[in-house]
Amino acid sequence: IELYKNFDFDKWSLPVYFNILNGSQFVDNNEDKTVLLHIAPEFFQTKLRLLGSLGYGKWDDGDNGSLLRSLLGFDWKYQKFNLTSEYIYQKYGHVTTTGRANADGKKEGYYIRAMYTFNPKWRALLKYSHAELYKTGLVNMRSDNYDTTSLAVDYFLTPNSTIISQYSYIDGERSDGSESIKANRFTLGWRTTF
C-alpha cells in the first residue's frame, strides 16, 4: 500500500511517499508489516532532487529479527547532463551465524551515474557501483564485495522504444580472500514502453 502527497512551495516542492509493505524479499513469512517513508524534495524547477528513505519492520518468520532500510541520494540535471548517486543500507537483526549464535547482518552499497543526452536519438551513460552483501557483526563472518563499472549507449528508435548496448567490468571478492571474480559483460537489449 502506498500513500502519496506532493507539497508545493514557491521555489520548491516536497513529494512524500508512505508505504506499508508485507513479506521479505522472497516470501511473505511473518505477520509484521514494514513501514517505509520516502521523501524527494525538488529544487530549481526539478533540476535538483534530494532522495531519502527510511523503513522499519521484521524479516524473519518468528518476528524476532528487525529490519532497517535506508537510502540517501541526489539527482541533478543541467541541460543535457544528468548526475545521480544513491547510498543504500540494510540491517538485519538476529541473524543466525554459526550454531545458535546470532549477530546483526547488513547489506550496503552505493552508485554514481553520469548521463549525457547528445540529441533525441542518442544517449550515453557511465556508472560505477559498489555493493557489500551480507556481512554479520562477527569478525570471522564473510561478505561478498562487488565493484562494477559500466558504459552504455542508448539509441531511441522512437521516444518509447530504445536499443540499449552496455559493457560492464565486474571485480568481486570475498572479504576473507577465499574467492574472487573478474568478468566482462556485454549486453544488447531492447526496451519498449507502452
Side-chain angles (χ1 to χ4, degrees):
I1 298 173
E2 179 179 89
L3 301 175
Y4 166 78
K5 171 69 175 168
N6 189 54
F7 300 93
D8 287 317
F9 302 95
D10 286 341
K11 297 187 178 182
W12 64 290
S13 65
L14 180 63
V16 177
Y17 304 82
F18 178 76
N19 297 273
I20 298 176
L21 310 168
N22 194 22
S24 72
Q25 66 187 81
F26 301 112
V27 294
D28 182 1
N29 61 356
N30 63 48
E31 297 298 322
D32 200 44
K33 307 298 181 274
T34 298
V35 178
L36 177 71
L37 177 66
H38 177 71
I39 61 171
E42 300 175 346
F43 303 92
F44 312 112
Q45 293 83 38
T46 70
K47 291 177 182 168
L48 175 64
R49 287 189 316 135
L50 302 179
L51 309 169
S53 295
L54 185 62
Y56 182 79
K58 302 286 185 177
W59 68 269
D60 65 325
D61 55 2
D63 283 344
N64 295 318
S66 62
L67 169 65
L68 175 68
R69 292 181 178 176
S70 60
L71 175 145
L72 289 173
F74 70 90
D75 182 47
W76 176 61
K77 296 176 185 174
Y78 179 74
Q79 296 179 356
K80 296 181 177 184
F81 182 73
N82 179 222
L83 185 65
T84 305
S85 183
E86 291 181 306
Y87 169 76
I88 301 136
Y89 177 84
Q90 295 184 102
K91 182 179 178 182
Y92 301 84
H94 201 74
V95 177
T96 302
T97 55
T98 54
R100 293 182 152 183
N102 290 302
D104 291 338
K106 70 175 181 176
K107 295 180 183 180
E108 64 181 322
Y110 63 89
Y111 76 87
I112 185 163
R113 182 193 72 183
M115 185 168 60
Y116 187 80
T117 303
F118 296 96
N119 55 49
K121 292 285 187 184
W122 292 96
R123 177 176 70 190
L125 67 90
L126 180 64
K127 180 179 177 182
Y128 172 78
S129 64
H130 173 80
E132 184 175 333
L133 306 176
Y134 195 69
K135 182 178 181 181
T136 69
L138 299 180
V139 175
N140 62 347
M141 296 306 291
R142 300 181 300 190
S143 66
D144 292 332
N145 305 297
Y146 297 95
D147 294 296
T148 305
T149 305
S150 301
L151 174 63
V153 177
D154 298 342
Y155 176 72
F156 292 85
L157 297 169
T158 69
N160 297 333
S161 186
T162 313
I163 301 292
I164 303 163
S165 60
Q166 180 173 298
Y167 164 74
S168 297
Y169 175 71
I170 302 150
D171 185 4
E173 67 177 357
R174 190 147 281 161
S175 60
D176 64 1
S178 63
E179 295 183 46
S180 65
I181 184 173
K182 296 186 187 306
N184 295 291
R185 181 175 61 206
F186 298 90
T187 306
L188 182 61
W190 176 26
R191 179 178 62 230
T192 299
T193 306
F194 296 97

